[in-house]
Amino acid sequence: MREDVENLDIKDVTANWVNAAVLQHQIDERIKALADLSHTPLFFGRLDYLHAPGADKAEGADGERFYIGRRHVHDAEGDPMVIDWRAPVSQPFYRASKKDPMDVGLRRRFGYTGGDLTAYEDEHLSDPSEAAATSKLLQQEIERPRVGPMRDIVATIQPEQDEIVRSGLSGSVCVQGGPGTGKTAVGLHRVAYLLYAHRERLARTGTLVIGPNKSFLHYIEQVLPALGELEVKQATVDDLVAHVEVRGTDDATAAVIKGDARMAEVLRRAVRSHVTLPTEGVVVVRGSRRWRVPAYELETIVGELLDRDIRYGAAREALPQRIAHAVLVQMERSGEAPDDRVQDAVARNTAVKAAVKAIWPPVDPAKLVLRLLTDADFLAVHAAGILDEDEQKEILWSKPVRSVKSAKWSPADAVLIDEATDLVQRTHSLGHVVLDEAQDLSPMQYRAVGRRCTTGSATVLGDLAQGTTPWATRSWDEALAHLGKGEAVIEELTAGFRVPTDVITYASRLLPHIAPGLTPVASVRENPGFFEVRPTTADEQVVDACEELLRNEGSIGLIAADARIPALTEALTAAGLTYLGPGEETTAETRLTLVPASLAKGLEYDYVVLDEPQAVVDGEPDERTGLRRLYVALTRAVSGLTVTHAAPLPQQLA
């Protein structure tokens, strides 16, 4: 298929060099999408239908056989050999069961080792004499060791996951899922499905995946390209709001206030405060005639624009046209017949421009936020009745700042500037946005993401128990309201495919203390996994635990409190163990990654050594946040977990 595209001759089908360049770009993108992936089979399943799909079953039409794979594959004549997993005819591979066979006689799963076909397994779904059984190949695929970045799960999607993946483009979905329930994979595969089902529409409007940090985005970046989808952009929330350079930080109290949704109203008041009601009329001179728009009429025009509550910049652009229209009405009354060109000329008149500048001056969003954070009187006027005096003092900068460029902006400040920017000029909206690890966003960050999908839909992914910021969301209903997607359907995934039974059971001891209302994850894995709590007296013993786990196949993560990283770095170096940083791709030679607890979220390793749980808790501003951080760290293991500690364990784990 790739060679066919490479051999296309476009000389006789392009009218000019522009068409040729566009077509060549499309061909290059198609070639990239058809790249071979080593150790990735073209098909993983087969469906034998009792009747041809769409045929009248009463007529006894013969059945049909389809091979199911990651990509559509056709032969030299263009006949399909492998059907894309997203096609409607592939759906029974994920949804069919003994109770509802969906007209499937046989479902076959194929097993691979290093790209070679090594096993297959059949289910005769329409045969009442065959009992339902758990698929061993499916179990093996779920438990297969992880080396390298995150991979697709098209061979192992479960019915409850498939329902979310295939939900429509028009509706937004929020997925609450505990560790190892596959929520990130479900979100990415939903994007792949939507691009398949609505390709033209999303090609125009765009899609975006938002992750918590660069390490996480690097970890997931190969999933969609492996499914042939190259156009999906990835970013963090900080990337979206990068109007200024972020060089500063806020303490937790100030960050919580700046992230509060009430700040949106403070900013709206501050922006609108720049509008000044006119006290004098406008006189427009055209030739020998003078046309006067009195102050009361200007005031009516300004009042109407304010009442419409449109963007500040859009209203400012409309004002000269409204004034010009008032002049044209006078011209028509006097017997003239002005047209649109005359109205445009009046709108550009010097007197009109001067009036607009005085009534509706331009607003620089960064300068506006800078004034709010440095001018106590200006903040007090616009935060009156919204923020109390203590809250205002908390967010005011103690030192004066000369300019926007010299200011040490914090991440929360950048979000405020993004809000102010949207009040002035509408933010571009995309067709679909995936927001992962959403529980850690502040209300103002939710608003920033929501602006990117006002005319599109969203997939929100997260786990309330893993909220590790002081402003972490308390409920999905509240979060979705800030996002502007209050109508979104909330789905809960409770079946754990990644974390072994013994590990998730141990970690779930923390749930009553960090998220009392949540359903604990129930591991569906047959293998209980390796789990050990090991007292230590020296860092060398932590290194010993890593060396023991390196004797197994797969990746190893050493997770520790951020403050412990320098000491462990020294211990690993002294022992001659090479290691990677979070997000760096593991290789056969280097399978150990040293991970600060603050960056562990979203990552997974076959085996994990968790160093000093109490230090992880103590590294956060309050105990609840610390216990949530610990819950995240405890649930990164796919096959086994060793907890090492010299200090006593947190009492909640007792």
Side-chain angles (χ1 to χ4, degrees):
M1 287 170 66
R2 191 175 65 252
E3 285 170 2
D4 286 346
V5 181
E6 288 171 341
N7 293 330
L8 285 174
D9 185 356
I10 61 172
K11 290 176 189 168
D12 298 327
V13 295
T14 53
N16 54 51
W17 69 270
V18 176
N19 288 351
V22 170
L23 188 54
Q24 188 58 54
H25 173 73
Q26 292 173 339
I27 288 172
D28 292 342
E29 289 299 299
R30 177 67 174 156
I31 292 169
K32 279 186 204 169
L34 290 170
D36 285 328
L37 298 172
S38 59
H39 306 307
T40 302
L42 287 176
F43 60 92
F44 52 80
R46 191 182 103 188
L47 290 176
D48 291 4
Y49 278 85
L50 297 176
H51 308 87
D56 188 346
K57 295 172 186 174
E59 295 178 4
D62 291 335
E64 204 164 344
R65 174 178 296 171
F66 299 97
Y67 285 85
I68 313 299
R70 288 165 176 76
R71 306 288 305 278
H72 166 84
V73 183
H74 60 245
D75 61 18
E77 282 71 47
D79 294 324
M81 298 175 69
V82 178
I83 305 298
D84 194 301
W85 66 277
R86 299 167 285 188
V89 78
S90 303
Q91 191 170 345
F93 185 79
Y94 304 107
R95 300 269 187 101
S97 64
K98 296 292 286 186
K99 287 184 180 176
D100 181 15
M102 300 176 74
D103 200 42
V104 172
L106 179 141
R107 172 168 58 198
R108 173 170 288 179
R109 298 182 191 275
F110 295 99
Y112 290 85
T113 304
D116 294 327
L117 177 63
T118 52
Y120 69 89
E121 185 180 72
D122 288 347
E123 294 173 87
H124 298 87
L125 296 174
S126 299
D127 183 354
S129 64
E130 184 179 290
T134 304
S135 166
K136 284 195 168 23
L137 282 181
L138 186 63
Q139 199 72 33
Q140 288 168 10
E141 176 63 22
I142 289 171
E143 296 180 7
R144 187 155 57 98
R146 267 86 168 143
V147 176
M150 185 179 182
R151 55 175 181 257
D152 66 76
I153 60 160
V154 290
T156 63
I157 293 173
Q158 299 300 292
E160 65 273 19
Q161 295 174 327
D162 188 66
E163 199 171 321
I164 298 169
V165 166
R166 294 178 194 265
S167 54
L169 176 61
S170 58
S172 293
V173 179
C174 174
V175 182
Q176 158 63 40
T181 54
K183 57 186 177 295
T184 296
V186 165
L188 294 174
H189 287 68
R190 186 179 182 217
V191 172
Y193 172 77
L194 293 175
L195 286 166
Y196 174 88
H198 308 277
R199 190 165 300 282
E200 287 187 13
R201 180 173 165 187
L202 288 177
R204 290 194 308 272
T205 55
T207 49
L208 174 68
V209 174
I210 302 172
N213 51 56
K214 297 288 187 187
S215 298
F216 178 83
L217 292 177
H218 180 68
Y219 178 63
I220 67 168
E221 67 184 357
Q222 293 305 316
V223 175
L224 290 168
L227 301 173
E229 303 300 345
L230 305 175
E231 299 301 316
V232 181
K233 292 183 171 58
Q234 295 185 348
T236 64
V237 174
D238 290 344
D239 294 333
L240 297 183
V241 300
H243 304 285
V244 291
E245 184 184 356
V246 172
R247 296 182 296 148
T249 55
D250 288 311
D251 62 40
T253 307
V256 169
I257 298 167
K258 289 178 181 179
D260 194 299
R262 293 176 297 163
M263 288 300 298
E265 178 58 21
V266 175
L267 288 165
R268 193 185 77 86
R269 287 183 183 179
V271 168
R272 288 168 69 96
S273 72
H274 288 76
V275 178
T276 305
L277 291 177
T279 54
E280 297 179 358
V282 176
V283 178
V284 177
V285 179
R286 282 187 60 82
S288 60
R289 303 291 300 270
R290 293 162 65 87
W291 309 97
R292 187 173 186 278
V293 181
Y296 72 85
E297 193 169 345
L298 288 176
E299 191 173 328
T300 301
I301 292 171
V302 171
E304 287 174 353
L305 287 172
L306 287 171
D307 290 342
R308 286 183 61 192
D309 204 24
I310 57 177
R311 295 296 191 283
Y312 185 91
R316 187 173 188 275
E317 290 171 6
L319 181 57
Q321 290 290 338
R322 293 291 185 90
I323 296 172
H325 178 72
V327 172
L328 258 66
V329 169
Q330 293 183 31
M331 289 180 175
E332 287 168 350
R333 284 176 185 157
S334 67
E336 294 189 23
D339 57 15
D340 289 346
R341 288 175 298 177
V342 174
Q343 180 167 330
D344 289 340
V346 173
R348 293 194 300 270
N349 182 275
T350 305
V352 173
K353 281 183 175 180
V356 170
K357 188 174 181 180
I359 297 168
W360 214 291
V363 169
D364 182 303
K367 287 181 179 177
L368 175 80
V369 174
L370 184 64
R371 188 178 174 193
L372 275 172
L373 297 176
T374 55
D375 185 337
D377 293 337
F378 187 67
L379 177 62
V381 168
H382 302 299
I386 300 174
L387 303 179
D388 61 35
E389 286 186 18
D390 290 339
E391 288 175 318
Q392 291 176 36
K393 286 177 185 174
E394 199 65 52
I395 64 172
L396 276 169
W397 291 356
S398 55
K399 296 179 181 178
V401 178
R402 283 181 298 176
S403 67
V404 167
K405 285 191 175 179
S406 64
K408 288 191 175 181
W409 299 105
S410 70
D413 297 333
V415 178
L416 295 179
I417 293 171
D418 189 70
E419 179 86 25
T421 302
D422 184 71
L423 288 167
V424 175
Q425 204 73 40
R426 183 182 292 277
T427 304
H428 174 66
S429 176
L430 299 163
H432 192 77
V433 169
V434 175
L435 175 60
D436 205 351
E437 300 294 350
Q439 72 280 348
D440 273 341
L441 268 60
S442 70
M444 291 299 284
Q445 287 176 315
Y446 277 116
R447 290 175 61 88
V449 174
R451 286 192 282 278
R452 272 76 187 176
C453 55
T454 48
T455 57
S457 53
T459 302
V460 180
L461 312 166
D463 179 12
L464 296 178
Q466 295 187 58
T468 52
T469 55
W471 50 83
T473 191
R474 288 167 292 191
S475 77
W476 289 123
D477 287 334
E478 184 183 315
L480 293 168
H482 293 311
L483 193 69
K485 301 295 178 187
E487 80 294 344
V489 176
I490 301 174
E491 304 279 0
E492 188 170 8
L493 296 175
T494 57
F497 303 99
R498 174 171 60 76
V499 186
T501 305
D502 289 355
V503 175
I504 196 64
T505 302
Y506 185 70
S508 294
R509 294 180 186 182
L510 298 175
L511 280 181
H513 307 281
I514 60 176
L518 284 189
T519 307
V521 172
S523 178
V524 299
R525 298 177 57 156
E526 293 180 351
N527 179 3
F530 168 79
F531 174 65
E532 179 188 13
V533 178
R534 182 185 296 184
T536 59
T537 54
D539 292 342
E540 287 74 23
Q541 291 171 296
V542 180
V543 175
D544 291 342
C546 294
E547 289 178 325
E548 288 172 26
L549 293 178
L550 281 167
R551 293 171 196 151
N552 300 309
E553 184 184 0
S555 57
I556 315 295
L558 171 54
I559 303 176
D562 293 31
R564 290 272 298 144
I565 295 298
L568 292 174
T569 298
E570 198 175 308
L572 290 170
T573 305
L577 275 184
T578 57
Y579 60 91
L580 303 165
E584 294 180 17
E585 193 169 324
T586 54
T587 64
E589 294 75 31
T590 308
R591 295 181 290 120
L592 175 64
T593 305
L594 178 58
V595 187
S598 61
L599 296 180
K601 191 170 294 178
L603 305 179
E604 61 181 35
Y605 302 93
D606 285 295
Y607 294 90
V608 167
V609 176
L610 174 59
D611 169 73
E612 292 295 355
Q614 188 61 54
V616 173
V617 177
D618 293 341
E620 300 299 325
D622 60 86
E623 186 181 55
R624 189 183 186 202
T625 305
L627 290 172
R628 286 182 166 187
R629 183 76 72 191
L630 178 58
Y631 181 73
V632 171
L634 283 167
T635 53
R636 300 303 95 201
V638 176
S639 298
L641 170 68
T642 298
V643 177
T644 59
H645 67 101
L649 292 170
Q651 60 180 12
Q652 292 85 354
L653 286 177

